Amino acid sequence: MKGYNFGFLDEASKREIRRKILKAIAVPGYQVPFSSRELPIARGWGTGGIQITLSLIGPNDVLKVIDQGCDESVNAVNIKKFINAVTNVKITTDTTKASIIQTRHRIPEEKMNENQILVLQVPYPEALRVFEPSEFETRRMHAEADYSRMWLYLYEDIVTYREISIGARYPVMVNKRYIMDPSPIPRWDIKKLNMAETLYIFGAGREKRIYAIPPYTSVEPLEFEDFQFRVENFMGEKCILCGSDDTFLDEIIDDSKGKRIYMCSDTSYCNKLLISKKVLYKR
Amino acid sequence: MIDVIGLSKIFNIRINGAKVINGCENINFSVKEGEFLSILGPSGIGKSTILKCLYRTYLPTKGEIYYESSIFGKVNIARVPDRKMIVLRNREIGYVSQFLRVIPRISAIDVVLEPLLLKNQISYKEARKRAEELLFQLRIPEYLFDAYPSTFSGGEQQRINIARAIIWKPRLLLLDEPTASLDKESVEIVLSKFLKLKEEGSTLIGVFHQEEIAKSISDKIYIMK
Amino acid sequence: MHIQPIVELKNLTKIYGKGCNLCVENTGPEHETNICVNCNSLVACGNVSFELYPGETLGIVGESGSGKSSLLKLLNFDIEPTLGEFYINHEKINTFVGNEKVNLFNLNSFQKRLIKNHIIGIVYQYPYLGLRMKISAGGNIAENLIMAEWRNIEKIRKKISELFEKTELPIDRMDEQPEKFSGGMQQRVQIAKALSNNPIILLLDEITNGLDVSVQARILDLIRNLHWQHNLSIIIVSHDLSVIRVLTQRTIVMKYGRIVEVGLTDQILEDPQHPYTQLLVNSQL
């Protein structure tokens, strides 16, 4: 695009963001403040993730953008178009072919490798914010690893509901040091964070924070000995399209029949299976 | 065991204009181990003041109170640090006041056995057994053991008070008119208990309302004028 | 026989405001103020030193503003002193700070938190200072256990039940929020919380204030029993001399941030030396 630097942001801004990313990688799970730039997109619409992607991306990168697992949703498509317009990089929907994947609320089903980076968009970076409104106080808690109130929050949850009722944003302990908000990914994806081959970078544009999980870092969901972390259970339901029963499923009400149906949340994975199995759409 | 030398107590009240009240003046006496000393004299002359100085409820103004402690050796009670005095009170020196100072919601039996727990490392069960025996001997009806002393008659309260003071067999027992509120029968039981303590080696110093009592049970009499 | 104090406090001074060299000199009972005329700072505690001995109950009396509550908050690391030294002599402390005798006021906040959680229990005058009112009563106690690395809900709840029983709280109400409890019950939840990690030192700040006489008596009785059962060393701050009489062996009298008299409790009550103590004792109903 004429009149703009490669990647929209100027080089100095990109460098600042990359420095913050390096710091975030050096201190796994620690939230690094950064000076979130203006973009032609309102803050709170993925600007944290976009800034990370723009400052990391090079001409030879291959980009994939998903929103809740879907490559075709409006947000994903617009972000893809924007980044493509300012960088001209190749775009893909294939998880295995992408070098940078920007995502919101999901981690792809297919296993990612050391050569890939997953950039997650984060609405609320502070895991402790649910019970502590003061930033001063949450920073102190992180500094001193004073996490008893996070555990207390889980205790109260268990006492009230007989289980830990947190769906997305399940708090995790990174590298046995910092409690981290993994962004609103389902519990299903939490285990993919642990000892992963891939670098995960989290960006919160509105809240001006970057944090990261470097490859091969321990990430443990908080759990009590007798109330352990559980992933979502689909009670044996299968994807109505590809027939998978080992993926994270979206529950959809079929308006014409008034019935519940299930579909893979990761659309590109679902499509890949469909093509390989040569299964046709059951309309 | 005790040498009181030139003991004086003057109360210096410094509110509502200074006031000086004489408690007792230039008191001198000695008591040997195993002796029973009674202090006699008209009321208001400061008999109780002496006892309270010996127990350090009052800080003596002048003079010394040398006491041969089995834990610390010779100490001057007039100047011993608070901390040591607490140890002496828990382990060696007992005090019977004229009335029981009721502590809310503590049963009679617990009031009595508490000093036993303080002095010895014995179990509550064992302490309770010994407290029950003693209360039987002092003719406290069994149904009162677990009741609160605040509801008891004056005589019953005072017998609880005395039981608390003698159960742990202090080396030195200070008696401040212990029998004033007791009937004749109780007085005899209580006095026999004091004498039994003396037989077992305790030293006693007492102030009694009735002269006959003092004369009947003590080895020595100190008369104040 | 030498008895080593469990707590040693030396020259503790707490000044609110900018402070100056004359603050301590300009204030205290002989000046009848705790405000420095030179710089207008408030001297909450000035050169306060005392010892607490193992198994002892020590009373601190004085009217409002005498600095007694500030003193407890300083000992619980709730506020930072201006000057002073604080030592606890107990083997349990060595695991947190090493074998050397260190001034606990100089520790980092992580070490202070360990000491607060494992060695000191505190019960505040106002339950809302010591409890989270929106968190269940059991949760309030669980927080301390969690801090001590308890990670088993069943074990945590069993321990909460035991503490509830010990402090005469109804076990079936452990999942209710303390804001729904009566004042006496809230105080007992605070006591249960303070006891949860088997502290060595218990700090009690005006714990019977504003309670009915019968409830007061039950709380005092509870403290007495706990003192026996756990061999605690206790500091009790109160302006109620009957509380001091029932619970303590030794008493410190404070005025305008200074200690004006220390003595055996019965001596303080029956033969007070300082005019202020005499006034205090004679003002009792």
Side-chain angles (χ1 to χ4, degrees):
Chain A
M1 198 200 281
K2 258 188 185 167
Y4 286 94
N5 189 29
F6 176 83
F8 186 77
L9 298 171
D10 62 280
E11 288 306 312
S13 296
K14 287 201 276 187
R15 223 173 357 253
E16 191 251 351
I17 293 167
R18 284 197 295 266
R19 275 202 303 272
K20 297 298 158 65
I21 292 171
L22 282 174
K23 181 170 179 181
I25 293 168
V27 193
Y30 172 72
Q31 299 165 51
V32 184
F34 81 111
S35 52
S36 186
R37 293 329 195 258
E38 288 290 340
L39 289 176
I41 301 167
R43 289 210 173 111
W45 291 85
T47 51
I50 293 169
Q51 287 177 78
I52 289 170
T53 303
L54 290 175
S55 50
L56 293 177
I57 205 161
N60 301 323
D61 271 309
V62 180
L63 179 73
K64 169 181 162 83
V65 180
I66 47 175
D67 181 349
Q68 303 207 25
C70 176
D71 291 86
E72 281 83 33
S73 82
V74 179
N75 284 328
V77 169
N78 283 333
I79 290 171
K80 256 186 283 196
K81 277 187 182 167
F82 169 66
I83 296 174
N84 177 260
V86 296
T87 62
N88 238 338
V89 297
K90 268 195 225 142
I91 304 288
T92 182
T93 59
D94 187 340
T95 299
T96 57
K97 294 211 170 84
S99 58
I100 298 178
I101 301 177
Q102 182 172 329
T103 178
R104 170 178 174 262
H105 296 196
R106 270 314 306 273
I107 293 173
E109 297 289 352
E110 284 169 282
K111 190 162 180 285
M112 296 172 64
N113 63 39
E114 288 173 349
N115 300 317
Q116 296 176 299
I117 296 173
L118 189 75
V119 178
L120 290 103
Q121 299 168 205
V122 180
Y124 305 105
E126 182 52 80
L128 313 182
R129 189 68 71 231
V130 281
F131 54 84
E132 179 51 64
S134 155
E135 173 74 14
F136 179 87
E137 189 56 19
T138 52
R139 284 207 203 188
R140 184 198 62 76
M141 288 175 177
H142 284 302
E144 297 176 10
D146 176 10
Y147 290 136
S148 54
R149 283 180 65 200
M150 182 81 244
W151 288 94
L152 180 60
Y153 179 81
L154 299 180
Y155 168 89
E156 289 287 291
D157 206 32
I158 291 167
V159 166
T160 314
Y161 303 107
R162 309 306 307 162
E163 63 170 341
I164 296 175
S165 69
I166 302 169
R169 289 186 74 198
Y170 194 98
V172 293
M173 176 64 80
V174 178
N175 203 24
K176 304 199 185 298
R177 177 58 184 85
Y178 287 101
I179 282 183
M180 190 196 85
D181 183 321
S183 87
I185 56 175
R187 289 179 301 194
W188 185 272
D189 289 340
I190 294 287
K191 298 217 154 158
K192 296 176 193 164
L193 300 172
N194 185 38
M195 290 304 188
E197 290 174 26
T198 311
L199 167 64
Y200 297 102
I201 310 174
F202 300 77
R206 187 186 53 200
E207 303 290 325
K208 305 185 178 69
R209 293 289 184 278
I210 290 172
Y211 51 99
I213 301 171
Y216 307 105
T217 302
S218 94
V219 177
E220 297 157 317
L222 302 189
E223 60 185 3
F224 287 95
E225 285 160 22
D226 48 349
F227 279 83
Q228 301 212 333
F229 172 79
R230 292 180 301 112
V231 297
E232 290 83 352
N233 183 352
F234 297 104
M235 319 293 272
E237 295 289 348
K238 290 185 174 78
C239 172
I240 198 167
L241 302 177
C242 68
S244 295
D245 60 0
D246 58 350
T247 58
F248 185 75
L249 300 173
D250 284 340
E251 187 184 280
I252 297 158
I253 304 293
D254 182 341
D255 286 336
S256 58
K257 291 180 187 137
K259 271 166 73 181
R260 255 176 242 274
I261 55 170
Y262 292 87
M263 272 185 218
C264 285
S265 145
D266 186 337
T267 53
S268 75
Y269 177 68
C270 192
N271 281 333
K272 223 187 228 180
L273 275 185
L274 282 173
I275 292 158
S276 70
K277 288 184 187 168
K278 297 196 171 59
V279 192
L280 294 175
Y281 279 83
K282 298 175 197 163
R283 280 230 175 238
Chain B
M1 187 161 84
I2 288 195
D3 286 304
V4 177
I5 303 167
L7 174 68
S8 298
K9 174 63 190 171
I10 298 158
F11 295 95
N12 227 333
I13 311 294
R14 292 187 277 173
I15 48 172
N16 297 332
K19 233 183 295 174
V20 173
I21 301 165
N22 259 336
C24 60
E25 224 181 315
N26 197 21
I27 305 295
N28 296 280
F29 63 78
S30 296
V31 185
K32 290 200 189 78
E33 184 153 9
E35 268 186 336
F36 195 139
L37 172 86
S38 287
I39 303 170
L40 285 179
S43 64
I45 197 150
K47 302 186 292 289
S48 293
T49 305
I50 298 174
L51 288 187
K52 287 192 174 177
C53 285
L54 288 176
Y55 198 59
R56 254 287 285 280
T57 299
Y58 291 163
L59 280 173
T61 313
K62 261 190 247 162
E64 335 299 332
I65 303 165
Y66 291 113
Y67 166 71
E68 204 65 57
S69 159
S70 64
I71 306 169
F72 301 113
K74 193 171 182 176
V75 292
N76 182 358
I77 286 178
R79 286 179 236 302
V80 71
D82 294 339
R83 180 61 216 165
K84 277 192 181 171
M85 196 61 217
I86 289 174
V87 175
L88 289 176
R89 285 176 174 192
N90 288 343
R91 310 276 287 273
E92 295 192 15
I93 306 176
Y95 182 88
V96 184
S97 51
Q98 287 181 46
F99 303 104
L100 174 68
R101 188 143 253 158
V102 177
I103 301 160
R105 285 235 312 166
I106 307 270
S107 66
I109 196 94
D110 282 352
V111 169
V112 173
L113 63 78
E114 190 179 66
L116 216 46
L117 294 179
L118 264 171
K119 188 190 179 190
N120 310 320
Q121 297 296 322
I122 63 168
S123 70
Y124 179 86
K125 212 175 144 192
E126 172 66 18
R128 188 178 165 103
K129 215 179 113 210
R130 282 165 61 181
E132 281 175 354
E133 273 169 32
L134 183 58
L135 288 182
F136 273 126
Q137 290 164 7
L138 292 174
R139 309 266 168 92
I140 298 285
E142 199 177 348
Y143 68 89
L144 289 181
F145 287 8
D146 287 299
Y148 300 140
S150 54
T151 58
F152 293 8
S153 74
E156 284 161 349
Q157 284 192 0
Q158 186 56 6
R159 275 177 283 158
I160 298 294
N161 199 17
I162 290 166
R164 176 181 165 91
I166 63 177
I167 190 165
W168 58 287
K169 301 191 169 133
R171 266 186 94 221
L172 170 64
L173 183 61
L174 308 170
L175 305 165
D176 190 358
E177 301 210 18
T179 54
S181 58
L182 296 180
D183 57 60
K184 203 159 171 270
E185 194 194 358
S186 299
V187 169
E188 271 163 32
I189 298 169
V190 165
L191 292 181
S192 74
K193 279 277 155 199
F194 292 154
L195 287 174
K196 183 147 180 285
L197 263 188
K198 189 175 102 84
E199 271 167 36
E200 288 168 351
S202 295
T203 309
L204 293 92
I205 302 176
V207 170
F208 293 93
H209 196 61
Q210 296 112 313
E211 212 175 304
E212 334 59 276
I213 291 184
K215 285 180 173 159
S216 70
I217 63 165
S218 41
D219 306 318
K220 245 166 97 176
I221 296 208
Y222 180 78
I223 297 170
M224 292 176 77
K225 281 178 191 161
Chain C
M1 189 171 126
H2 174 71
I3 315 152
Q4 197 190 22
I6 192 151
V7 171
E8 289 172 83
L9 196 67
K10 289 180 184 162
N11 296 320
L12 177 64
T13 299
K14 172 68 184 173
I15 298 170
Y16 288 101
K18 61 179 195 286
C20 69
N21 295 333
L22 300 170
C23 276
V24 176
E25 223 172 280
N26 281 343
T27 56
E30 60 272 30
H31 300 274
E32 304 245 310
T33 182
N34 48 13
I35 310 256
C36 172
V37 285
N38 187 45
C39 68
N40 259 334
S41 301
L42 186 140
V43 181
C45 296
N47 280 332
V48 171
S49 304
F50 65 80
E51 280 111 41
L52 176 73
Y53 289 88
E56 184 182 36
T57 44
L58 175 69
I60 302 179
V61 291
E63 61 203 18
S64 341
S66 61
K68 53 195 184 345
S69 289
S70 291
L71 186 59
L72 277 203
K73 286 186 183 131
L74 286 160
L75 293 180
N76 197 46
F77 305 115
D78 291 348
I79 50 177
E80 298 251 329
T82 309
L83 265 176
E85 294 167 52
F86 176 20
Y87 303 98
I88 296 177
N89 304 309
H90 193 276
E91 71 266 11
K92 217 169 154 184
I93 210 151
N94 299 345
T95 40
F96 308 131
V97 301
N99 286 318
E100 268 171 69
K101 191 168 174 173
V102 287
N103 180 0
L104 301 182
F105 286 135
N106 292 342
L107 297 180
N108 65 39
S109 52
F110 178 71
Q111 291 172 310
K112 282 180 183 166
R113 190 149 45 78
L114 282 176
I115 290 171
K116 268 171 82 160
N117 193 40
H118 291 270
I119 292 180
I120 301 173
I122 188 163
V123 180
Y124 294 93
Q125 175 176 4
Y126 304 109
Y128 65 80
L129 288 176
L131 298 177
R132 300 185 193 285
M133 288 297 175
K134 302 279 181 198
I135 299 275
S136 69
N140 270 284
I141 295 161
E143 186 179 359
N144 277 18
L145 300 172
I146 286 164
M147 263 193 256
E149 305 292 322
W150 290 53
R151 291 291 181 270
N152 185 303
I153 297 282
E154 202 190 311
K155 285 181 191 161
I156 289 173
R157 291 180 70 78
K158 196 165 156 256
K159 176 78 181 176
I160 297 169
S161 304
E162 282 170 23
L163 288 163
F164 262 55
E165 211 165 301
K166 196 169 271 179
T167 50
E168 301 173 32
L169 282 160
I171 291 169
D172 56 354
R173 295 188 67 183
M174 71 189 247
D175 294 332
E176 281 179 44
Q177 296 158 349
E179 62 181 1
K180 294 176 187 159
F181 288 3
S182 69
M185 278 173 74
Q186 288 176 349
Q187 247 7 5
R188 275 195 286 273
V189 176
Q190 275 209 86
I191 295 168
K193 180 175 178 154
L195 292 174
S196 58
N197 284 328
N198 307 320
I200 295 154
I201 298 154
L202 192 60
L203 308 175
L204 307 174
D205 187 6
E206 303 273 12
I207 50 167
T208 56
N209 252 23
L211 300 177
D212 292 342
V213 183
S214 65
V215 181
Q216 276 189 19
R218 284 181 69 188
I219 298 270
L220 296 183
D221 177 29
L222 174 64
I223 297 291
R224 276 177 73 95
N225 285 335
L226 294 172
H227 178 225
W228 284 119
Q229 290 162 14
H230 298 266
N231 191 31
L232 292 161
S233 307
I234 303 180
I235 299 178
I236 301 162
V237 160
S238 182
H239 65 258
D240 184 346
L241 292 182
S242 42
V243 170
I244 297 291
R245 185 199 307 277
V246 169
L247 291 181
T248 71
Q249 298 160 305
R250 258 188 341 129
T251 299
I252 288 172
V253 185
M254 285 186 77
K255 194 186 188 192
Y256 291 123
R258 303 301 142 83
I259 292 179
V260 295
E261 189 168 351
V262 188
L264 299 166
T265 298
D266 54 335
Q267 180 252 300
I268 294 282
L269 296 176
E270 294 191 34
D271 184 20
Q273 306 292 305
H274 193 276
Y276 174 67
T277 318
Q278 294 179 353
L279 185 71
L280 206 65
V281 170
N282 285 296
S283 307
Q284 280 291 296
L285 293 176

